[in-house]
Amino acid sequence: MDINIREIRDYYDSEIRDYDYNELVSLGVSHDNAEFMVSIGVPEEYNDFMFYGSDTFQKILIEGVQYIKIGHFASFGMRNSYGLYFKESSSEFFTTSALHEPHLYMINKDLRTFFLFHLIKNELAMKMKQENEYSTQKYAHELQKMFDQIDPVAMKDVEGFWSHFIEDYETGL
């Protein structure tokens, strides 16, 4: 399946945040994440994810490590929102969850991969439905294979965001 990450913008339902590359890097955002945020763009809202403007980023010390809070995740029915973080000067993209141990865990190796996973899940579902090959189990299996190739560390965590997403399809939820 040939995927162009620029196509993710077709799925954005809100305004794209305007970031300055040099400002992002000076705040501690990695060069890779800053490049993605400027060249591809990040929406203010995407599904249940809210991304902040750089003027509202927060530096937070968690267990002795410096993180940059760039947004939050609040799914329908959740009482509390969970933060979205970069580890300072690292590309890794994190979230928190009271249901996960440790509470802070990596979603993806970088922000680009996070949005790439979203693009793949949308495009794969559409392709399978067009070809009359869609079933929730087959979809979950194909996603798992693709995600494992792109970001195996994110998929290793059985309690992680993407593992739960795939499990919901495997079980028909």
Side-chain angles (χ1 to χ4, degrees), residues 134-151:
Y134 183 86
S135 74
T136 57
Q137 292 80 18
K138 186 172 182 178
Y139 176 63
H141 177 73
E142 291 299 314
L143 276 180
Q144 179 80 45
K145 282 190 338 188
M146 294 175 87
F147 289 177
D148 278 338
Q149 289 176 348
I150 297 167
D151 191 354

Side-chain angles (χ1 to χ4, degrees), residues 1 3 7-13 46-47 114-130 134 139 143 146-147 162 165 169:
M1 191 166 159
I3 300 285
E7 293 175 19
I8 190 62
R9 293 174 69 128
D10 295 339
Y11 292 98
Y12 293 170
D13 285 336
Y46 185 77
N47 294 335
F114 171 76
F115 281 106
L116 180 61
F117 274 27
H118 279 280
L119 179 60
I120 289 169
K121 78 178 182 65
N122 294 330
E123 294 289 312
L124 180 62
M126 190 167 42
K127 178 181 182 251
M128 291 177 82
K129 288 175 182 177
Q130 287 173 345
Y134 183 86
Y139 176 63
L143 276 180
M146 294 175 87
F147 289 177
W162 291 110
F165 179 83
Y169 278 93

